[in-house]
Amino acid sequence: MPPALKSPLMNLKAQLKAAVENAAFQLGAPLDVAIQETPPNKPGDYGTPAAFQLAKLLGQNPAQVAAQLAQTVVLPAGIARAVAAGPFLNFFVDAGAFVRAVVSDPATPEQGSGKVVIEHTSVNPNKELHVGHVRNVVLGDSMGRIFRAAGHEVEIQNYIDDTGRQAAESLYAQAHYRRKWDGKQKYDHFMGEGYVRLNADPDKPELESGIRAVIHRLETGELRSEIEQIVKAHLETCFRLGARYDLLNWESDVVGSGFLSQAMNILENSSYTARPLEGKFAGALVMDVSAFMPGLEESKVVLMRSDGTAMYAAKDIGYQFWKFGLFEGMKFKPFTTDPEGRTVWTSAPDGQPDTERRFGHAAEVINVIDSRQEHPQKIVKASLGVAGSPGQEERSIHLSYAFVTFEGQTISGRKGIGVSADAVIDEAGQLVTELMHSLKPEVIGTSEGAEIVRRIAVGAIRFAMLKAEPTRQIDFRWDQALALQGDTAPYVQYAAVRAGNILKRAQAEGYAVDGSGADWGSITDLDLNLAKVVARFPEVVANSVRVHSPHVVAQYALDLASAFNGWYNAKNKEGRPATNVLASEPGLREARLALVGRLQRAFVQTLGLIGIEVPSAM
RNA sequence: GCACCCGUAGCUCAGUUGGAUAGAGUGUUGGCCUCCGAAGCCAAAGGUCAUAGGUUCGAGUCCUAUCGGGUGCACCA
């Protein structure tokens, strides 16, 4: 028995597929057939090009085969009739039954299994986040929400490079220039100013020994609380963007927990690694990745230098191995709480061992890192193959995105080129507030108004960063990033608010919005077409998971909103509103109210997948 | 030089495992608040899907080459 979790709508397509395959088998050829929505202006609701394949196998004319299929196919419940449209075989659904099914269907995606660890953000703790980081944060956060919705256990990790040069330079600059924090400026911005000043300082080369001393002190952990203060400021920004985390992993802890040496032990047992006694790699530990990464000029990668120190890639490999549960040994403790009061954990030398195996142990690992790190990420992935774990190599995913430029320039933290994430969020809030002054002045200044502004502003930013494929290069421009009309989150939010308003008015009038009293037989094609868009939801989630990209969901949100707006404004031949819900005949009115309620839930659900909330009013 | 990503309307982008007449937004022009809110809707105009071959009944989608843009190719992090 197919599980109840599975959507009845997914079942409809699956049943059509089975029915057509059955009919094809009877006509003499087993096939794998595709079921798709028919284009507008074509007869039917769903259709299949199966007759093309079948005709080829049978040596007949596709149009004739389609006609034979239409005769032969046994229609599943909910399908009114089948017709041959030239070489295509199309199906008409029973409109009333279909809309009713959509309305009562929670549209639960198929339940995935296996824990997914997603690493994102991982911003150097030396300076505030800029717009490029925002893309990373919202990509990773949205991916987490989507996998969770698809039934996976999800753990969001944020890697803190606390022993790196960037962090050291910021700390050094603060001391060197005797900068005093006034307690009011956001701390990461304050530290970033010192960093930029240091890198513009002509005397910097002479300060090298001092910086190296700070790096050393970072490695011993004695400056950890300084870094924690910056990390907390970073989290503030990320929380504003709606991102949430389960665990912070510190580089010093990855090394301190012995992951590096354990990973190297595993790799050294492989025939792909060697310690050459002579040649240019004499004394180093090298890994031959040519079997996993064809086409390289230099197939050997140095993991441990001949002086015994680790290359960065080696630390990354150790961390990745741990994510997959190849070894244990890290200690954890609570770090802070997120806006909902949930604990964000951190690795820590003075933490508790993870006896419950609550962190790591992933079935799949997704690293959200910009495309410039493709090469090192491939090495990390290949190392799992070297370690003899081809399955984990396969499920080691680099979610690669093109870095964001700022008005055509490469963003540079060092040179201070770019815009901070905080500034973008503030500016978006300003813009939304201005618009609200003219459209909704009564809520300005109230706590509800502030929440409305926040949801719209954050929605607009997140959506702008998500709607295109991650591989697209984005040049940040204020007018595009903060647009409130067109292909934007506010457009979708507006549709959702509208749907909500219809429901409120209906309830005030005393009408049922749960489908009771509905006359499903009076449903029109306009209503059916709207319901068909809602019905796509499970496939959208599945597709997003498959391609590892939230843009699929963002595009679907636009489809939902434009379908709803088009339906809302539809006119009949006389130019009068064709779908006015409250003015519809009793029976049809209740059916449409149930449909509007379903749309409202679809908006909340879909936007929720990409971390965008529906405001109470707009 | 080698590898990877991108090339679709003036601009920014979608385009399901290859299927029906390539779709949105934006900008331009023109319409729609006596009708559940106009951050909305409708219409017009705008395309050699970079170019040339190939595979296929069928290619924006797959393969090859070329051109253009981006990125990466350290005993750096």
Side-chain angles (χ1 to χ4, degrees):
Chain A
M1 186 68 197
L5 288 171
K6 209 168 167 181
S7 157
L9 298 163
M10 291 286 270
N11 275 347
L12 184 64
K13 280 183 104 173
Q15 284 172 23
L16 279 175
K17 177 174 156 70
V20 175
E21 285 173 354
N22 229 317
F25 185 74
Q26 283 185 39
L27 293 183
L31 290 182
D32 181 28
V33 314
I35 303 292
Q36 54 207 190
E37 279 188 61
T38 54
N41 306 325
K42 293 289 170 190
D45 300 298
Y46 295 94
T48 174
F52 283 110
Q53 301 160 263
L54 196 52
K56 190 167 171 76
L57 290 169
L58 302 175
Q60 293 175 20
N61 175 324
Q64 284 175 0
V65 173
Q68 286 176 45
L69 278 174
Q71 294 285 319
T72 314
V73 70
V74 179
L75 299 179
I79 297 299
R81 59 202 171 92
V83 296
F88 288 88
L89 174 65
N90 290 355
F91 302 96
F92 286 85
V93 302
D94 176 332
F98 184 87
V99 175
R100 185 180 188 178
V102 168
V103 162
S104 54
D105 180 14
T108 312
E110 287 197 65
Q111 295 299 293
S113 62
K115 179 173 179 178
V116 179
V117 164
I118 300 177
E119 180 201 326
H120 69 79
T121 306
S122 305
V123 176
N124 272 322
N126 74 315
K127 193 177 190 303
E128 75 280 3
L129 276 73
H130 59 63
V131 282
H133 297 125
V134 175
R135 188 175 200 185
N136 184 303
V137 171
V138 301
L139 270 174
D141 182 68
S142 300
M143 214 64 257
R145 292 168 190 272
I146 292 164
F147 270 84
R148 209 165 268 147
H152 291 271
E153 183 190 348
V154 172
E155 182 173 296
I156 305 291
Q157 300 185 2
N158 180 359
Y159 189 67
I160 312 296
D161 183 1
D162 61 326
T163 57
R165 180 165 197 99
Q166 337 274 352
E169 289 188 358
S170 285
L171 294 184
Y172 179 82
Q174 189 194 3
H176 180 67
Y177 300 121
R178 303 178 196 287
R179 306 182 71 241
K180 286 270 182 285
W181 183 48
D182 62 9
K184 284 184 267 182
Q185 186 183 16
K186 199 155 167 293
Y187 191 69
D188 49 353
H189 288 251
F190 165 74
M191 293 302 284
E193 285 174 0
Y195 176 77
V196 172
R197 179 171 169 187
L198 177 65
N199 280 285
D201 194 329
D203 297 332
K204 192 190 170 196
E206 292 147 37
L207 307 175
E208 184 57 27
S209 63
I211 295 168
R212 294 198 73 83
V214 176
I215 293 178
H216 184 70
R217 289 176 68 201
L218 284 169
E219 282 168 351
T220 64
E222 68 180 284
L223 296 176
R224 179 145 174 158
S225 64
E226 311 289 326
I227 302 294
E228 286 187 351
Q229 202 172 349
I230 300 173
V231 170
K232 282 186 173 154
H234 280 180
L235 288 181
E236 235 178 82
T237 303
C238 297
F239 288 159
R240 289 181 81 190
L241 286 167
R244 300 294 181 264
Y245 304 86
D246 296 300
L247 178 63
L248 312 180
N249 276 317
W250 295 61
E251 174 157 302
S252 57
D253 294 329
V254 166
V255 175
S257 303
F259 293 174
L260 183 58
S261 55
Q262 293 192 71
M264 292 310 112
N265 284 342
I266 291 172
L267 292 176
E268 276 199 274
N269 287 331
S270 159
S271 56
Y272 294 101
T273 56
R275 283 187 184 275
L277 296 173
E278 51 194 30
K280 67 172 178 171
F281 294 125
L285 173 62
V286 298
M287 177 168 73
D288 186 338
V289 293
S290 54
F292 306 92
M293 299 166 64
L296 292 178
E297 274 180 63
E298 175 53 73
S299 63
K300 290 190 175 60
V301 177
V302 174
L303 298 176
M304 302 295 283
R305 300 185 189 93
S306 46
D307 67 5
T309 57
M311 293 286 286
Y312 191 80
K315 297 180 196 172
D316 245 10
I317 288 169
Y319 181 28
Q320 187 80 349
F321 280 13
W322 172 77
K323 287 175 180 168
F324 274 114
L326 267 55
F327 37 70
E328 314 275 340
M330 200 178 247
K331 293 174 180 168
F332 304 96
K333 67 177 187 183
F335 183 72
T336 187
T337 53
D338 69 20
E340 285 76 40
R342 289 177 54 253
T343 301
V344 179
W345 291 73
T346 182
S347 64
D350 59 343
Q352 296 298 311
D354 184 21
T355 49
E356 298 163 27
R357 295 161 61 94
R358 104 185 246 167
F359 297 119
H361 302 96
E364 176 165 314
V365 173
I366 300 173
N367 295 325
V368 183
I369 305 176
D370 85 65
S371 62
R372 286 176 291 195
Q373 306 235 30
E374 222 147 66
H375 186 68
Q377 277 295 303
K378 276 185 182 164
I379 291 169
V380 167
K381 186 180 170 89
S383 70
L384 283 156
V386 169
S389 306
Q392 291 173 332
E393 181 194 1
E394 182 68 25
R395 299 196 70 181
S396 182
I397 308 288
H398 175 201
L399 201 174
S400 168
Y401 63 94
F403 69 98
V404 180
T405 54
F406 174 67
E407 288 170 351
Q409 289 179 288
T410 301
I411 295 173
S412 166
R414 197 182 304 260
K415 294 177 191 158
I417 298 173
V419 181
S420 78
D422 292 305
V424 172
I425 302 169
D426 291 343
E427 183 64 26
Q430 285 287 328
L431 210 67
V432 173
T433 305
E434 278 171 34
L435 188 56
M436 294 283 286
H437 266 292
S438 54
L439 295 177
K440 207 82 186 164
E442 66 273 18
V443 300
I444 299 287
T446 67
S447 63
E448 187 194 359
E451 177 63 11
I452 291 170
V453 168
R454 189 189 70 76
R455 291 185 177 198
I456 297 171
V458 170
I461 294 167
R462 287 186 68 120
F463 202 89
M465 288 290 179
L466 289 176
K467 69 179 172 188
E469 286 181 293
T471 51
R472 283 270 170 207
Q473 291 163 225
I474 295 181
D475 186 32
F476 180 87
R477 283 186 228 139
W478 287 102
D479 56 335
Q480 285 178 12
L482 304 185
L484 306 175
Q485 292 169 350
D487 282 349
T488 65
Y491 172 78
V492 183
Q493 290 169 317
Y494 184 74
V497 167
R498 233 178 194 181
N501 284 344
I502 295 173
L503 296 172
K504 272 184 220 157
R505 291 194 53 151
Q507 280 166 319
E509 301 280 331
Y511 302 142
V513 298
D514 62 354
S516 54
D519 173 13
W520 298 104
S522 62
I523 281 291
T524 69
D525 280 351
L526 288 169
D527 309 305
L528 172 61
N529 287 332
L530 181 56
K532 274 156 69 178
V533 181
V534 176
R536 271 167 40 203
F537 180 85
E539 285 174 84
V540 169
V541 174
N543 207 17
S544 178
V545 162
R546 186 172 60 81
V547 302
H548 291 95
S549 171
H551 88 280
V552 176
V553 173
Q555 293 293 332
Y556 174 67
L558 291 174
D559 285 350
L560 261 186
S562 64
F564 179 74
N565 282 330
W567 173 84
Y568 179 91
N569 284 296
K571 303 280 194 290
N572 61 20
K573 289 184 187 104
E574 293 79 45
R576 307 288 299 167
T579 56
N580 189 310
V581 177
L582 301 178
S584 297
E585 292 292 311
L588 179 56
R589 180 181 61 205
E590 279 69 22
R592 283 179 167 163
L593 280 169
L595 180 57
V596 171
R598 183 65 192 85
L599 258 298
Q600 212 273 338
R601 294 196 298 280
F603 284 128
V604 170
Q605 199 174 13
T606 304
L607 288 176
L609 292 180
I610 47 178
I612 296 172
E613 296 168 285
V614 175
S616 59
M618 285 181 80

